[in-house]
Amino acid sequence: MRLFAGDTETSNAERTPGGVCEVALIEITEDLEYVGHFESRIDPEEPICPGAVHGITNADVEDCPTLEAWADLVHIREMGLAAHNAPFDAMKLSAAISIPSTLDTLRLARHAYPDAPNHKLSTLVYY
């Protein structure tokens, strides 16, 4: 199985598959060696929620591939995923990609840094 570390931006915060409007992934080997990377805007196939904080607009993604089409283009149909709040990203990506294993850096951060003001990545960088 191919291994990736990454993040998604989504059209909504609902806990349902799909709605991905951007994906950024770094492929790594089991020895954590860099293989390559992907960064793409994705057509979420639904309007982007006005409350989304990533700044991606509907116009930004109107000519982009859907998640299914993107997965075909980059030949990713199964992956192991390391991400901050990995269950959320895996669930969103599961509309087109099988993700049988995850490593959740949010969960790790909560364990390693219990006294941090919060466990957002931007906070942890300075903590």
Side-chain angles (χ1 to χ4, degrees):
M1 173 177 31
R2 295 168 70 185
L3 304 174
F4 293 87
D7 189 29
T8 63
E9 299 300 340
T10 61
S11 60
N12 62 63
E14 295 173 19
R15 300 216 168 261
T16 56
V20 174
C21 57
E22 186 172 61
V23 63
L25 299 169
I26 296 174
E27 187 171 5
I28 54 177
T29 67
E30 290 181 11
D31 296 324
L32 303 180
E33 300 280 333
Y34 172 82
V35 175
H37 66 276
F38 303 96
E39 181 181 351
S40 301
R41 293 275 168 94
I42 305 291
D43 175 356
E45 301 183 89
E46 63 187 33
I48 295 173
C49 174
V53 296
H54 46 61
I56 300 169
T57 67
N58 291 308
D60 293 333
V61 296
E62 67 182 312
D63 295 323
C64 296
T66 64
L67 184 60
E68 183 85 23
W70 179 83
D72 285 341
L73 286 170
V74 297
H75 308 290
I76 300 174
R77 284 304 179 180
E78 181 180 76
M79 72 165 80
L81 178 65
H84 207 66
N85 196 8
F88 180 81
D89 290 310
M91 180 266 310
K92 288 298 197 178
L93 291 168
S94 73
I97 300 168
S98 172
I99 304 175
S101 62
T102 61
L103 174 67
D104 186 5
T105 60
L106 175 58
R107 187 172 174 202
L108 291 171
R110 286 178 175 150
H111 179 74
Y113 305 106
D115 297 328
N118 63 56
H119 294 93
K120 296 177 183 178
L121 284 174
S122 56
T123 301
L124 294 170
V125 165
Y126 293 101
Y127 187 75

